[in-house]
Amino acid sequence: MHRIEELALATFDRPLKDLSDQEVYKVLLDFVQDQTQAQPLNQSKRKLYYISAEFLIGKLLTSNLLNLGCYDEVQAVLEANGQSLHDVEKAEKEPSLGNGGLGRLAACFLDSIASLEINGDGVGLNYHFGLFRQVFKDNQQASRPDAWLDQPTWLKPSTISYPVPFKDFTLKSTLYEIDVPGYQQASKNRLRLFDLDSVDEAIIEGESIHFDKEAIKKNLTLFLYPDDSDQAGELLRIYQQYFMVSNAAQLIIDESLAKGSNLKDLDEYAVVQINDTHPAFIIPEFIRLLTQNHDLSFEEALEAVTKTVAFTNHTILAEALEKWPMAYIEAVIPEIAAIIRQLDQVIQAKFPDQAAVQVIDADDRAHMAHIAIHFSKSVNGVAALHTDILKDSELHDFYLIYPDKFNNKTNGITFRRWLMAANPGLCDLFDDKLSNNWRLDHDFTGLLDYQDDLDTLEQIKQIKESNKEALKEFLYDNQGVTLHENAIIDVQIKRFHEYKRQQMLALYIIHKYLDIKAGNLPTSPITIIFGGKAAPAYIIAQDIIHLILNLSELIAKDPDVSPYLQVIMVENYNVTACEKLVTAADISEQISLASKEASGTGNMKFMLNGALTVCTLDGANVEIANLVGEDNIFIFGKSSQEIVDLYASGDYDAQAYYQRPAIQPLVDFIVGPEMMAIGQADRLERLHQDITTKDWFMALIDLEDFIQCKEEAYLAYQDSRSWYQKTLVNIAKAGYFSSDRTIQQYEEDIWHTRD
Ligand code: 26Q
């Protein structure tokens, strides 16, 4: 009898064939955990700690089976028992422990760190509900708590616990762990998530995401904070961050001591990569612990910490940089506030005339990025363009002080999830065409030999079509929407933010709607799909979702237009939906205002899976364009330098663009009779007002260019042979974006765990 069949009997007292999908999921969870339990941990003198407020891990069953090398075997055992692994995969709930790109990046990195046998753990928080679940009501986003701990999970409780001292009380943590097996590796790492036993889910009000913000003991790890972007956030965010980093620092000190560190040499035993500034309080917290509990002087502690910590920046939006009023920090963690004031003294003494690099500003706010830059050994951006902008403008003053600290690490994605798990059809093609070990070396360039081979191009087309079928099933099961047959599938999936310019694609849809109404019918039907959440406090982003949902309804109900154009907004977009969408897409929308998207990682997922990119030269799009060449990508819009200059001069005039004859009717449609008949006047009017008067992220500046670019892309789709040739080149060149390459670079340039 197979171990899985034994486990079924032992757990449920019934044979595997009689179990529900939910029960089989539990059996496979135990089966996988028995195996990872037996794996030894990676070992090395210096260990990496990747600290992040977010780990958007997605479902883990498939990727664990893949990494352990038993996917096919398990599938066969299930099949022999009349069970379907595909259905069991659906039964697993997805934990939403991240907002978007930054959280998903952390999850891809954990997979690559383990797969490269680097000794490195993730450290974060165990949110009971994660980010809110998005539902649509009256064509608007509503938010609900998203439970994931109400079914068996990958978490294992540990005996590790630390006291975390806040101003008026001390809380004791509990550490939970998720094993992270590497691909085809004997040893493993862990994701270590701290939690608080006293958290009380009963304080959530009804089916909302509202709860008593004052009851810290009951709410600390209840929810993940949405990315409010331009909202400073509340005290609770400081409580959460400090709880995370105090636990992390105590864990790191304990593990380093156990390996023989005297803590002055902490950097020989630990390297701490902080994922944006959310964990930046770890710098003063280390100083507190080393000076109070371990007899280091302030100067010794400061030096040890600075040599141990490395900082990754993920944004250049000034309004998204964390700046905490000192009064807040004093109210929550006064000892940390005192240390931050000491750090401020150090910088004032060193750089007395440079207001721009101070730790505490004239309004008595602590700049977390400034702390992270001064008191770390490395500062990296996440794509070549992003790092250049940091050096040349946003962080220029710091770059002049610390030129050697700055470095680039272009993001990547794990090919285990985004290729091997998500697109088995494409893997079969690779097995057929490539003679190298592509699963490990991620070199697909051998495909280029088949650019003119009609059979290969036809195979790529077939793979895409079967992925479209899978997407159709997914959309129907999840929200009862029927995807059009034979449509070109054009996808924009990412958090809703004005700089990402979903509103510009909505204006394109209006253009296409009016064009079809005027009798200009597209040759192939077009389906435009959006997915993404908007932070509940981000009103304009909610208004943009409302506009899209209204357009979707208007078009679906219009028999003149619906055969040619379909607009779908995926409800509760998450990692699982992403896996279905990137593999089925023909067109990848990467249309941020140039200079604003640090990197993007969805762009890489689409490229790898054979979608062509419509984009501005922003973030990692620049590197994609360089790799595939201008014939194999659709580029439009103003350059990053032009936009940086425009912000500097303040010369952008939304009104002037609005008044252009090609633009005004599209923008006015937002408040025209068709939309007003369906939607909420206040939302539509506010959005119209914003776009015509402010348009801070300049949707109108690139709109005409965008429309023309999209028409070219749709036209190119009509020539099937040349389209799939372009697709082939994109797939063949995607190897660069493996997160294994990214992690190898972090290891060689920053972490040095193997030295
Ligand atoms: C800050 C303060 C208070 C509350 C929330 C936040 C907060 C939370 C999450 C601020 C930012 C985030 C997330 C940022 C993020 O996902 N950035 C993305 O990181 C990706 C990985 O590097 C890049 O590819 C994207 O370009 C970048 O937008």
Side-chain angles (χ1 to χ4, degrees):
M1 202 188 281
H2 193 278
R3 181 72 194 133
I4 294 174
E5 295 165 323
E6 289 173 3
L7 276 171
L9 281 174
T11 314
F12 293 105
D13 209 16
R14 281 182 287 137
L16 180 58
K17 68 174 177 46
D18 292 348
L19 300 189
S20 68
D21 291 336
Q22 202 39 247
E23 290 166 331
V24 180
Y25 160 67
K26 165 69 177 149
V27 168
L28 294 184
L29 181 82
D30 292 341
F31 173 72
V32 168
Q33 287 198 320
D34 284 351
Q35 293 191 37
T36 60
Q37 180 74 30
Q39 290 183 317
L41 295 166
N42 282 313
Q43 304 283 347
S44 62
K45 181 178 179 192
R46 182 183 289 121
K47 175 172 171 178
L48 158 72
Y49 298 86
Y50 194 89
I51 309 191
S52 176
E54 310 190 6
F55 288 93
L56 191 46
I57 52 185
K59 298 184 184 192
L60 291 183
L61 178 60
T62 311
S63 66
N64 280 339
L65 291 174
L66 254 171
N67 282 10
L68 293 170
C70 58
Y71 189 90
D72 292 342
E73 175 192 329
V74 169
Q75 190 166 39
V77 173
L78 260 53
E79 224 169 82
N81 286 273
Q83 298 284 3
S84 139
L85 182 51
H86 179 67
D87 290 345
V88 176
E89 285 164 334
K90 285 196 220 168
E92 179 179 359
K93 281 193 181 175
E94 173 178 332
S96 52
L97 307 185
N99 273 289
L102 164 151
R104 183 54 233 173
L105 185 78
C108 283
F109 280 6
L110 291 185
D111 185 72
S112 286
I113 292 164
S115 297
L116 295 180
E117 281 184 290
I118 290 171
N119 179 19
D121 287 344
V123 185
L125 291 175
N126 188 38
Y127 306 102
H128 292 219
F129 289 91
L131 192 66
F132 65 89
R133 186 165 55 84
Q134 178 192 56
V135 295
F136 297 143
K137 268 183 71 185
D138 304 329
N139 285 347
Q140 297 176 80
Q141 168 181 291
S143 18
R144 301 273 179 271
D146 194 3
W148 68 288
L149 296 171
D150 56 355
Q151 69 163 187
T153 73
W154 299 94
L155 293 168
K156 297 195 280 196
S158 81
T159 54
I160 293 176
S161 168
Y162 294 108
V164 178
F166 294 100
K167 179 163 183 264
D168 299 322
F169 50 84
T170 293
L171 298 177
K172 247 175 93 63
S173 64
T174 302
L175 175 63
Y176 292 86
E177 299 179 325
I178 297 178
D179 283 334
V180 184
Y183 178 60
Q184 294 187 348
Q185 298 298 348
S187 49
K188 67 173 175 202
N189 292 325
R190 290 170 298 184
L191 170 56
R192 312 178 84 178
L193 301 175
F194 285 97
D195 201 351
L196 191 63
D197 293 338
S198 57
V199 164
D200 182 3
E201 298 165 4
I203 68 169
I204 298 172
E205 294 159 19
E207 54 169 17
S208 77
I209 53 167
H210 299 298
F211 60 94
D212 178 359
K213 297 270 176 15
E214 312 278 289
I216 300 301
K217 288 172 209 178
K218 294 184 177 184
N219 69 23
L220 191 83
T221 53
L222 203 51
F223 286 104
L224 166 67
Y225 252 77
D227 164 14
D228 282 356
S229 307
D230 53 357
Q231 242 208 216
E234 295 160 74
L235 284 183
L236 177 53
R237 177 97 179 160
I238 300 180
Y239 277 102
Q240 282 190 337
Q241 291 187 347
Y242 183 66
F243 185 75
M244 171 172 74
V245 302
S246 178
N247 277 298
Q250 294 181 66
L251 179 77
I252 292 164
I253 288 174
D254 274 2
E255 291 191 349
S256 300
L257 285 172
K259 284 187 287 183
S261 172
N262 63 22
L263 300 183
K264 286 181 202 157
D265 58 2
L266 182 65
D267 67 298
E268 290 179 32
Y269 294 85
V271 50
V272 176
Q273 191 72 45
I274 61 173
N275 202 18
D276 217 293
T277 55
H278 316 154
F281 284 120
I282 200 165
I283 291 169
E285 175 63 2
F286 264 132
I287 296 173
R288 183 185 76 86
L289 292 166
L290 294 175
T291 55
Q292 289 186 4
N293 301 351
H294 300 282
D295 295 329
L296 271 67
S297 69
F298 178 83
E299 289 72 23
E300 286 169 338
L302 187 58
E303 191 190 336
V305 172
T306 306
K307 289 200 292 200
T308 303
V309 173
F311 164 50
T312 305
N313 171 284
H314 298 265
T315 184
I316 49 169
L317 293 184
E319 59 270 37
L321 292 176
E322 290 188 294
K323 300 181 265 292
W324 296 115
M326 285 302 290
Y328 286 17
I329 304 177
E330 258 137 25
V332 178
I333 37 177
E335 290 181 281
I336 295 301
I339 294 170
I340 291 175
R341 294 214 184 270
Q342 276 180 285
L343 296 176
D344 183 55
Q345 292 299 317
V346 170
I347 297 306
Q348 283 194 36
K350 267 195 187 164
F351 311 104
D353 306 322
Q354 285 189 259
V357 304
Q358 298 306 319
V359 164
I360 300 176
D361 68 16
D363 300 325
D364 210 30
R365 291 178 308 179
H367 285 233
M368 302 313 287
H370 298 188
I371 295 175
I373 298 168
H374 286 301
F375 306 109
S376 69
K377 64 165 177 168
S378 162
V379 177
N380 77 278
V382 290
L385 175 70
H386 172 227
T387 303
D388 285 342
I389 295 173
L390 292 180
K391 291 202 251 186
D392 298 344
S393 36
E394 292 301 311
L395 299 178
H396 185 63
D397 294 317
F398 291 94
Y399 178 59
L400 293 178
I401 300 175
Y402 310 110
D404 298 336
K405 278 193 196 184
F406 282 75
N407 64 96
N408 176 247
K409 296 287 169 284
T410 297
N411 283 166
I413 56 176
T414 172
F415 286 11
R416 267 76 61 183
R417 178 177 296 266
W418 298 107
L419 172 62
M420 289 160 62
N423 204 343
L426 190 54
C427 296
D428 290 344
L429 180 81
F430 285 2
D431 282 334
D432 190 27
K433 306 292 178 204
L434 302 176
S435 52
N436 57 317
N437 196 354
W438 61 266
R439 284 185 176 78
L440 287 177
D441 65 24
H442 301 147
D443 179 353
F444 318 135
T445 51
L447 269 189
L448 294 172
D449 296 344
Y450 297 88
Q451 277 183 74
D452 297 313
D453 181 55
L454 292 182
D455 278 353
T456 305
L457 299 178
E458 181 58 31
Q459 280 172 341
I460 295 177
K461 182 170 179 218
Q462 293 294 330
I463 294 163
K464 194 52 88 181
E465 274 164 13
S466 97
N467 292 338
K468 287 183 184 183
E469 276 303 313
L471 175 64
K472 188 172 177 187
E473 179 191 313
F474 175 83
L475 289 173
Y476 190 78
D477 289 354
N478 275 270
Q479 56 192 97
V481 171
T482 306
L483 189 68
H484 277 180
E485 295 284 338
N486 305 321
I488 179 166
I489 298 196
D490 183 340
V491 183
Q492 186 176 24
I493 41 176
K494 48 187 81 246
R495 278 301 283 262
F496 271 75
H497 199 297
E498 289 162 279
Y499 85 79
K500 295 177 187 280
R501 297 198 296 189
Q502 282 95 351
Q503 70 275 34
M504 190 169 70
L505 184 51
L507 289 169
Y508 174 80
I509 291 167
I510 294 171
H511 156 82
K512 201 78 215 165
Y513 170 87
L514 295 172
D515 212 30
I516 293 170
K517 278 292 204 192
N520 299 317
L521 306 180
T523 320
S524 296
I526 299 163
T527 295
I528 298 181
I529 306 182
F530 293 88
K533 298 176 185 177
Y538 193 170
I539 302 297
I540 291 288
Q542 308 263 1
D543 295 342
I544 296 169
I545 290 179
H546 182 55
L547 172 66
I548 290 166
L549 288 169
N550 288 334
L551 286 170
S552 174
E553 181 183 334
L554 174 77
I555 290 166
K557 288 184 175 161
D558 187 331
D560 296 344
V561 182
S562 61
Y564 307 100
L565 184 62
Q566 179 181 34
V567 175
I568 299 174
M569 173 84 190
V570 178
E571 197 168 37
N572 196 41
Y573 170 67
N574 60 10
V575 177
T576 308
C578 183
E579 291 164 7
K580 296 284 178 284
L581 287 158
V582 292
T583 47
D586 298 302
I587 291 184
S588 156
E589 298 281 352
Q590 307 301 335
I591 59 178
S592 53
L593 177 65
S595 82
K596 295 295 177 191
E597 189 69 88
S599 162
T601 44
N603 45 3
M604 303 166 187
K605 294 163 197 165
F606 281 107
M607 175 195 188
L608 174 65
N609 286 286
L612 301 192
T613 310
V614 169
C615 68
T616 51
L617 284 178
D618 199 15
N621 302 343
V622 176
E623 286 156 87
I624 294 178
N626 288 339
L627 282 162
V628 302
E630 60 182 26
D631 291 344
N632 297 303
I633 191 163
F634 301 95
I635 297 168
F636 71 96
K638 293 264 187 283
S639 72
S640 146
Q641 192 57 55
E642 286 172 296
I643 299 300
V644 170
D645 293 345
L646 253 185
Y647 275 107
S649 69
D651 281 346
Y652 177 63
D653 180 1
Q655 266 291 320
Y657 278 97
Y658 166 60
Q659 275 154 14
R660 293 168 72 96
I663 292 183
Q664 192 159 35
L666 309 184
V667 177
D668 285 347
F669 193 86
I670 296 172
V671 288
E674 296 91 339
M675 287 288 95
M676 288 300 212
I678 303 176
Q680 309 275 328
D682 57 338
R683 284 201 180 278
L684 296 170
E685 280 161 4
R686 179 171 46 220
L687 181 60
H688 182 265
Q689 170 80 8
D690 192 280
I691 294 178
T692 52
T693 58
K694 288 212 309 251
D695 191 25
W696 181 246
F697 292 103
M698 306 182 192
L700 301 188
I701 203 170
D702 289 333
L703 180 57
E704 285 173 76
D705 205 6
F706 179 54
I707 291 172
Q708 195 189 338
C709 182
K710 286 193 65 66
E711 297 306 332
E712 279 165 25
Y714 290 160
L715 185 66
Y717 184 76
Q718 299 311 317
D719 182 347
S720 187
R721 174 176 172 172
S722 122
W723 182 270
Y724 287 102
Q725 273 176 337
K726 295 180 203 295
T727 289
L728 178 147
V729 174
N730 273 266
I731 299 170
K733 298 286 181 93
Y736 180 72
F737 296 110
S738 164
S739 48
D740 292 3
R741 184 267 311 151
T742 314
I743 289 304
Q744 184 62 34
Q745 292 176 334
Y746 275 94
E747 168 63 20
E748 283 168 15
D749 298 346
I750 305 169
W751 300 342
H752 310 292
T753 66
R754 294 207 248 250
D755 296 353

